[in-house]
Amino acid sequence: MLFRREVLEGIAGGRIDRVFRVWAEPRVRAGSTQRTWVGIIVIDSVTAVTPEEITEEDALRSGFHGRAALLTALSKSTKEGGYHRVMLHLGGPDPRSVLAGNADLTDQELAGLKAALDSIDTRSRRAPWTREVLRLIEEHPGLRALDLAEHLDRDKLPFKADVRRLKALGLTESLETGYRLSPRGKALMAYLRSLTE
């Protein structure tokens, strides 16, 4: 489920606790979670509703100025299906973000991260890629994934999957557009450079 930036900011600030979607079948279920840049979003409930069941409070708590504005936005959807009210809340920080923010690493932890990259590269079906992707992101923070992938003559989707593997190690952070090295990633790159000096 995609969220606009202002909606995520509203959820993080406690102003928004529900969103509305047009779906033939619900795309999320109660109890599921979703990682976002503001943290982990927890889905509390998903309910099919008619336009008549949508209240003024629904509109205000979903980030709209009023019920009419919400209904107008829903009516403009090109998707087929009925209206669904998704109740949600911010469950806490993304553990990857907490990991990414930790740059105070021991030599043993840095060596462990290097070993993790070596292991990924060894198992790769193509040439080793982890350091190349980290260097590219370091040199071009905020560059679109498509443009980064083109630098390496690669397709965007497999490239993004690789970046997600690095993010799982806490080495990169997603921006509104593109990526950047996390503090943890910067510490690792400095360590890797020190090994070749």
Side-chain angles (χ1 to χ4, degrees), residues 114-181:
K114 177 185 178 297
L117 296 185
D118 291 341
S119 177
I120 292 171
D121 284 338
T122 299
R123 293 193 313 268
S124 176
R125 294 179 185 168
R126 58 181 191 281
W129 59 267
T130 57
R131 289 155 180 80
E132 184 178 42
V133 170
L134 286 169
R135 273 194 299 273
L136 189 63
I137 292 171
E138 182 179 38
E139 293 167 3
H140 304 282
L143 192 63
R144 294 184 315 159
L146 177 61
D147 296 326
L148 289 170
E150 286 177 354
H151 270 279
L152 302 176
D153 197 25
R154 296 192 54 204
D155 292 330
K156 182 177 89 168
L157 292 180
F159 175 81
K160 289 181 76 169
D162 284 347
V163 175
R164 280 196 296 274
R165 294 183 74 182
L166 298 173
K167 186 174 184 179
L169 293 172
L171 302 176
T172 65
E173 297 173 325
S174 296
L175 303 173
E176 194 165 354
T177 301
Y179 315 96
R180 69 181 172 204
L181 290 188

Side-chain angles (χ1 to χ4, degrees), residues 4 7 15-18 58-66:
R4 298 189 318 277
V7 171
R15 299 183 307 278
I16 292 177
D17 64 5
R18 66 201 71 182
D58 281 331
L60 298 176
R61 297 294 293 170
S62 61
F64 287 85
H65 293 298

Side-chain angles (χ1 to χ4, degrees), residues 58-95:
D58 281 331
L60 298 176
R61 297 294 293 170
S62 61
F64 287 85
H65 293 298
R67 183 174 177 273
L70 171 56
L71 290 173
T72 297
L74 288 171
S75 70
K76 290 180 178 176
S77 173
T78 57
K79 297 176 182 174
E80 293 186 7
Y83 297 168
H84 291 80
R85 180 193 295 118
V86 181
M87 301 296 294
L88 43 73
H89 71 275
L90 185 64
D94 184 340

